[in-house]
Amino acid sequence: MSHPDYRLTLRPLETPRGVSSVVGPHGVGASPGDKKSKNKSLRGKKKSIFETYMSKEDVSEGLKRGTLIQGILRINPKKFHEAFIPSPDGDRDIFIDGVVARNRALNGDLVVVKLFPEEQWKVIKPDSNDKETEGAYESYLPEELCGSLLPQQSLKGYNDSPDVIIEAQFDDSDSEDGHGNTQNILVDGVKKLLVCLHEKGKEDAGAPVTKDENISMAQDTRTLPEKSLQRSAKVVYILEKKHSRAATGFLKLLADKNSELFRKYALFSPSDHRVPRIYVPLKDCPQDFVTRPKDYANTLFICRIVDWKEDSNFALGQLAKSLGQAGEIEPETEGILTEYGVDFSDFSSEVLECLPQGLPWTIPPEEFNKRRDLRKDCIFTIDPSTARDLDDALSCKPLTDGNFEVGVHIADVSYFVPEGSDLDKVAAERATSVYLVQKVIPMLPRLLCEELCSLNPMTDKLTFSVIWTLTPKGKILDEWFGRTIIRSCTKLSYEHAQSMIESPTKKIPEKELPPISPEHTSEEVHRAVLNLHGIAKELRKQRFVDGALRLDQLKLAFTLDHETGLPQGCHIYEYRDSNKLVEEFMLLANMAVAHKIHRAFPERALLRRHPPPQTKMLNDLVEFCDQMGLSMDFSSAGALNKSLTETFGDDKYSLARKEVLTNMCSRPMQMALYFCSGMLQEQAQFRHYALNVPLYTHFTSPIRRFADVLVHRLLAATLGYREVPNVEPDALQKQADHCNDRRMASKRVQELSTSLFFSVLVKESGPLESEAMVLGVLNQAFDVLVLRYGVQKRVYCNVITIFSLVEVVLQAEDAALKYSAILKRPGTEGLLGLQDEEECDHDQQED
């Protein structure tokens, strides 16, 4: 999916960071045996492989004139020779072909590119099955769009029989696009699939396959009348090196034992093929590595790139540490965190000194004079049963006129994080907590996020509240913002709240509920939950009437062994009415605060916008749906939501098709972004596409998101509790940019953590069977959504062998193919090209 360029203004240009002052090894050039090297015959003089970066003056001038384009570089994880940056006009992504054209930039870097002449642009066929011309579909679905939906019926009973059975096993070779050294032993068998396809399908699937097939085939002159061009470019400058330059991988000896390099360097082979191979000094390696290299064949290392010369295919790096055995959870997790630049170190003594020192801490008496005292109110939290960082609490008090006083009470984190302190600086740098399957990497020290700030029951807590007078239909009659003190009467889990919702007239036995403070009763809490649920249903119904969109996607949850920490099982997390209840009031609070701070500070409000879907990809999806005979309306968020809701039935096959189409609809969606209101001239750009609202922000999770802390400070200034923050719009925008960067890294880490645990579970449990539906067919592979687990996998046709079962159904209809598939994974081999789905935040679905 296309990344938006979320730099609202050009960043100051610096010396290109791809050119380092670190001196590399003398004579380092193309690797021994590198087939692409053209300079082996040159002696004493190295021919440059990469172009020298342009000067910052020329780059600045080129960006102003429009002859150069900047954007976030995305490298296709499936085909690492392909890279893309988003087009500024929202059209098809700009294509960057090969490592040389990338010019030492890595995935996620903010780069400047220069377009090639039109005759060098990529030629693609409009009807090509290979849809990867739009780049790497890593998941960028905004949290406001996604949820967790459990299909009402298993697809196990679907009766249609497969027409063809192919036995297949994925060979986990070094190649990411399925072009390993595997023998094509079933190519003839694959061609037999063509018996049930139209002639057009026969030609596409049966054609000889080359690595750059979609380019070379498209350049056939016979297809020129149908051709479309994709602008192609090369990287000429790296504006910001966003990639951490760290990678996990394995050590190998160089191939040429007689070379001078062999005596000085080992070769580091990253697990992520988008990162180049790296020369590392032997002095950094284990002492016996040269004599016993096989002892380290399965040892995972971390390496950091320190330089990458113009005359070398490989980078120069330093070996940071040995992590442990590949495939084990903790070494792999540490590698993931390091690669994505997540700071998981202990907080420094300087940071810890910023915390209250006299424990147990109590609220100072003067705070009671400054805040509204709500400690006697029936206020409670609803969170996952394992949650420790309780950001938000709810209250609902019936009024004599039939209306309700509803409160959202958020931990007052800004009270404990003095602006400009060491604690503030480290929280700003981390920007977000990172939720892994087995643990949390907190943004704040645990004393704050689990004790002093966390709204734990039956203790006095400092909060920031939004309190409304609402009708039973959810209409706002009155609204109040302010600092408060609360005393939560109980900590409900989503399961507790759900049982209350499902038993409106039945008393819940005390033993099935958590402890409740003696000032309140379980019946009082039960009534409050039911009243909140009733209002939430009305709010939700009205939101979708007003044009909101939700793309519910499956989210995988695990049960872990308490002793070993290994996954024992997994299931699709069910998103139920209790989750929706909390979501609606968090959304309401975030929208209310957005309007409040924007009215007060129209030039320096920190808001959150969601741009519309990428135009070209959306048009492709519209065309696809037309070909498939699906009556889908993509004209607005609300129209799309209505189409997804009404187009499909509730039978098993329809539910599966809806799941696949929902997944496809997520691809054109852009990231939701924090931004400073003073940096955009058109207020129309402030809009949130998925929510279909003019203003939105994040206020409800300050324990785990630094953006919310900034919003709390703005709200406090709005209400006169403090002076206006002394920050200019461009400085606030830089903070917003950093929050965007860290948020995306955090979400990717969460996805990789889920993938890791899923792969370990499959390895430990043996074969898992699940029905799946094909998402799309490429020239030499097809992608499937495994419905039971909500994960995507790619099956490569040219690496199919005879050990595991893949049943494929292919049906032709009006020259458009419909596909469904059933996958059976081989025993303990690698996963079939797992491509992760984005999961939402662990608790609130609103953010």
Side-chain angles (χ1 to χ4, degrees):
M1 167 163 302
S2 181
H3 242 307
D5 180 5
Y6 46 76
R7 298 290 153 183
L8 300 178
T9 55
L10 298 182
R11 298 180 63 83
L13 300 181
E14 302 169 358
T15 301
R17 296 191 218 175
V19 180
S20 171
S21 59
V22 178
V23 178
H26 175 71
V28 172
S31 67
D34 187 343
K35 297 177 183 178
K36 295 183 179 180
S37 178
K38 305 291 185 183
N39 59 348
K40 286 184 179 179
S41 60
L42 299 179
R43 295 182 180 274
K45 181 179 179 182
K46 287 290 180 181
K47 181 179 178 181
S48 290
I49 297 168
F50 301 104
E51 287 189 10
T52 302
Y53 293 118
M54 293 177 66
S55 69
K56 60 183 180 181
E57 293 81 12
D58 289 345
V59 169
S60 181
E61 184 62 28
L63 289 171
K64 290 177 182 176
R65 291 199 314 265
T67 57
L68 301 178
I69 301 171
Q70 71 176 42
I72 297 293
L73 182 73
R74 299 180 340 276
I75 303 174
N76 192 337
K78 303 288 184 183
K79 296 181 180 179
F80 57 88
H81 60 284
E82 297 182 348
F84 306 83
I85 69 165
S87 174
D89 58 10
D91 201 353
R92 189 188 297 276
D93 287 341
I94 295 169
F95 180 56
I96 300 167
D97 187 17
V99 175
V100 172
R102 285 208 300 270
N103 201 0
R104 295 163 286 168
L106 298 186
N107 190 62
D109 285 352
L110 180 63
V111 299
V112 176
V113 303
K114 181 178 182 180
L115 292 177
F116 288 124
E118 185 172 333
E119 57 269 20
Q120 296 181 35
W121 290 0
K122 182 178 180 180
V123 185
I124 58 174
K125 291 201 300 183
D127 61 347
S128 171
N129 280 335
D130 191 342
K131 295 298 183 185
E132 289 193 298
T133 54
E134 297 306 333
Y137 287 131
E138 289 189 343
S139 49
Y140 296 123
L141 191 66
E143 311 82 58
E144 293 89 350
L145 257 174
C146 66
S148 302
L149 178 66
L150 183 67
Q152 295 303 305
Q153 295 171 287
S154 167
L155 290 160
K156 196 83 173 174
Y158 184 53
N159 292 324
D160 282 7
S161 300
D163 298 322
V164 183
I165 295 178
I166 305 176
E167 294 179 332
Q169 177 183 19
F170 177 67
D171 176 70
D172 190 15
S173 65
D174 279 345
S175 175
E176 289 202 31
D177 57 358
H179 300 277
N181 296 321
T182 332
Q183 296 177 352
N184 296 329
I185 56 179
L186 279 188
V187 168
D188 291 337
V190 173
K191 291 180 181 177
K192 292 177 183 177
L193 286 172
L194 308 176
V195 70
C196 56
L197 302 184
H198 285 307
E199 193 66 28
K200 173 180 171 294
K202 290 181 184 179
E203 293 169 0
D204 287 347
V209 173
T210 64
K211 185 164 188 176
D212 294 310
E213 181 180 17
N214 64 322
I215 301 176
S216 59
M217 287 178 62
Q219 289 172 336
D220 189 322
T221 55
R222 290 172 294 178
T223 68
L224 287 179
E226 303 178 44
K227 75 177 182 180
S228 62
L229 294 178
Q230 182 170 20
R231 290 184 294 174
S232 302
K234 61 182 179 180
V235 173
V236 296
Y237 196 85
I238 301 177
L239 274 177
E240 186 175 357
K241 199 192 294 185
K242 288 179 178 287
H243 190 284
S244 67
R245 267 49 185 181
T248 59
F250 302 91
L251 278 179
K252 300 177 181 179
L253 291 174
L254 294 178
D256 187 356
K257 295 184 179 181
N258 297 318
S259 69
E260 182 181 347
L261 288 174
F262 183 88
R263 293 187 290 273
K264 293 183 178 180
Y265 297 96
L267 188 64
F268 179 82
S269 181
S271 302
D272 184 348
H273 291 242
R274 295 173 295 182
V275 179
R277 294 188 178 185
I278 304 167
Y279 290 124
V280 294
L282 284 175
K283 62 182 178 61
D284 290 350
C285 301
Q287 288 186 344
D288 58 348
F289 170 69
V290 175
T291 57
R292 305 176 62 88
K294 291 183 179 180
D295 290 357
Y296 298 92
N298 199 44
T299 301
L300 203 60
F301 291 89
I302 289 180
C303 181
R304 295 187 182 276
I305 294 174
V306 296
D307 194 19
W308 194 352
K309 296 292 187 183
E310 293 174 10
D311 60 4
S312 176
N313 281 321
F314 294 173
L316 177 67
Q318 293 178 341
L319 210 58
K321 68 182 293 188
S322 168
L323 294 173
Q325 292 300 296
E328 293 182 359
I329 286 175
E330 288 310 314
E332 294 279 3
T333 296
E334 185 174 342
I336 291 168
L337 293 170
T338 303
E339 283 188 16
Y340 283 85
V342 176
D343 182 0
F344 57 95
S345 62
D346 292 336
F347 289 95
S348 68
S349 57
E350 291 81 7
V351 169
L352 297 178
E353 285 173 4
C354 298
L355 305 177
Q357 301 299 310
L359 299 177
W361 181 83
T362 57
I363 297 174
E366 61 269 19
E367 286 301 316
F368 289 91
N369 299 324
K370 300 175 183 177
R371 296 171 180 261
R372 186 167 165 178
D373 191 346
L374 303 177
R375 288 176 296 167
K376 293 182 179 179
D377 289 11
C378 179
I379 299 176
F380 48 87
T381 58
I382 305 176
D383 286 280
S385 56
T386 56
R388 295 181 181 179
D389 49 352
L390 311 182
D391 286 286
D392 55 272
L394 293 165
S395 62
C396 185
K397 185 190 302 181
L399 302 176
T400 56
D401 59 2
N403 296 317
F404 297 91
E405 183 182 272
V406 175
V408 169
H409 315 280
I410 306 300
D412 190 357
V413 174
S414 61
Y415 175 88
F416 295 96
V417 184
E419 194 168 1
S421 65
D422 289 326
L423 175 59
D424 182 49
K425 292 173 184 175
V426 75
E429 182 60 33
R430 294 192 177 201
T432 180
S433 295
V434 180
Y435 290 86
L436 308 172
V437 170
Q438 77 277 35
K439 60 185 175 182
V440 180
I441 310 299
M443 181 182 78
L444 297 168
R446 296 195 183 275
L447 176 63
L448 288 186
C449 60
E450 294 182 8
E451 295 182 42
L452 300 186
C453 293
S454 183
L455 305 183
N456 300 325
M458 289 170 268
T459 55
D460 294 351
K461 297 293 179 179
L462 299 177
T463 46
F464 227 138
S465 300
V466 185
I467 299 175
W468 303 273
T469 301
L470 298 176
T471 69
K473 292 289 188 180
K475 181 181 179 182
I476 298 174
L477 303 178
D478 192 25
E479 188 173 61
W480 180 87
F481 301 85
R483 284 179 167 167
T484 51
I485 299 175
I486 70 166
R487 185 179 180 88
S488 172
C489 65
T490 188
K491 176 190 175 184
L492 298 179
S493 67
Y494 283 122
E495 291 74 22
H496 293 137
Q498 188 66 31
S499 67
M500 292 178 174
I501 291 170
E502 294 174 356
S503 306
T505 59
K506 177 184 174 184
K507 177 179 169 60
I508 308 294
E510 299 290 337
K511 63 181 180 181
E512 296 180 14
L513 293 173
I516 298 175
S517 64
E519 294 86 3
H520 303 280
T521 64
S522 61
E523 290 84 359
E524 186 181 4
V525 174
H526 193 166
R527 282 195 304 272
V529 169
L530 290 175
N531 288 331
L532 287 169
H533 171 59
I535 298 170
K537 284 197 300 182
E538 296 294 334
L539 289 170
R540 190 177 187 83
K541 182 172 71 174
Q542 189 60 46
R543 277 203 308 112
F544 289 111
V545 168
D546 292 340
L549 167 66
R550 188 178 188 85
L551 297 179
D552 285 307
Q553 293 194 302
L554 303 175
K555 173 184 172 183
L556 205 56
F558 296 87
T559 53
L560 305 181
D561 185 287
H562 290 297
E563 294 182 0
T564 65
L566 294 174
Q568 293 178 314
C570 66
H571 62 278
I572 297 297
Y573 181 80
E574 188 173 1
Y575 187 69
R576 301 192 289 181
D577 285 341
S578 55
N579 303 82
K580 296 174 184 177
L581 182 161
V582 174
E583 177 189 12
E584 288 308 315
F585 290 106
M586 298 305 112
L587 285 170
L588 197 64
N590 285 333
M591 288 186 285
V593 170
H595 284 274
K596 189 75 171 176
I597 62 175
H598 184 250
R599 279 195 300 268
F601 306 114
E603 296 296 314
R604 58 182 70 182
L606 182 68
L607 302 174
R608 186 164 172 83
R609 65 189 178 98
H610 182 210
Q614 191 199 38
T615 307
K616 180 64 178 69
M617 295 180 70
L618 188 64
N619 291 339
D620 289 345
L621 184 56
V622 170
E623 183 181 344
F624 169 79
C625 289
D626 288 343
Q627 291 174 349
M628 295 291 289
L630 293 171
S631 180
M632 300 289 294
D633 185 350
F634 292 91
S635 60
S636 66
L640 175 55
N641 192 79
K642 186 176 181 182
S643 294
L644 286 170
T645 304
E646 298 178 356
T647 299
F648 298 96
D650 57 2
D651 61 282
K652 302 166 188 177
Y653 183 61
S654 293
L655 288 172
R657 294 179 75 203
K658 180 179 180 181
E659 203 63 59
V660 170
L661 189 58
T662 298
N663 183 284
M664 296 179 73
C665 287
S666 73
R667 294 181 174 183
M669 299 300 163
Q670 300 200 59
M671 284 174 30
L673 301 168
Y674 299 115
F675 71 102
C676 173
S677 56
M679 299 301 290
L680 288 179
Q681 294 182 350
E682 298 294 331
Q683 195 160 331
Q685 294 179 281
F686 291 16
R687 289 195 66 84
H688 196 291
Y689 171 80
L691 296 174
N692 196 29
V693 295
L695 295 175
Y696 190 68
T697 195
H698 273 171
F699 162 76
T700 53
S701 296
I703 292 177
R704 58 188 179 91
R705 292 187 306 227
F706 191 72
D708 299 52
V709 176
L710 296 174
V711 168
H712 276 229
R713 289 172 179 166
L714 285 167
L715 183 59
T718 299
L719 300 173
Y721 292 123
R722 54 159 290 169
E723 71 285 352
V724 178
N726 184 25
V727 57
E728 293 301 316
D730 60 339
L732 184 58
Q733 182 59 50
K734 287 182 180 179
Q735 289 183 298
D737 289 338
H738 182 69
C739 288
N740 290 327
D741 292 342
R742 296 319 307 158
R743 191 161 180 77
M744 276 308 303
S746 168
K747 297 189 78 62
R748 187 62 183 144
V749 166
Q750 292 172 40
E751 293 167 354
L752 292 172
S753 177
T754 298
S755 296
L756 171 63
F757 273 78
F758 186 63
S759 64
V760 170
L761 175 66
V762 174
K763 181 179 179 182
E764 296 295 323
S765 303
L768 298 178
E769 294 187 24
S770 171
E771 288 179 300
M773 185 165 278
V774 173
L775 287 165
V777 177
L778 288 74
N779 288 319
Q780 38 194 327
F782 56 94
D783 291 333
V784 297
L785 179 65
V786 184
L787 296 151
R788 179 179 171 188
Y789 303 110
V791 297
Q792 289 185 32
K793 292 184 180 183
R794 175 162 295 177
V795 183
Y796 294 98
C797 296
N798 66 335
V799 292
I800 291 175
T801 61
I802 60 174
F803 297 107
S804 70
L805 182 66
V806 179
E807 298 173 340
V808 184
V809 180
L810 300 121
Q811 298 173 307
E813 187 171 299
D814 298 328
L817 299 179
K818 291 184 178 180
Y819 309 87
S820 63
I822 301 173
L823 284 162
K824 181 177 179 182
R825 188 201 170 280
T828 57
E829 266 68 65
L831 292 176
L832 294 175
L834 220 160
Q835 176 181 324
D836 308 285
E837 278 303 301
E838 175 166 84
E839 67 177 24
C840 297
D841 286 337
H842 79 298
D843 49 359
Q844 317 310 345
Q845 299 297 319
E846 105 297 330
D847 57 283

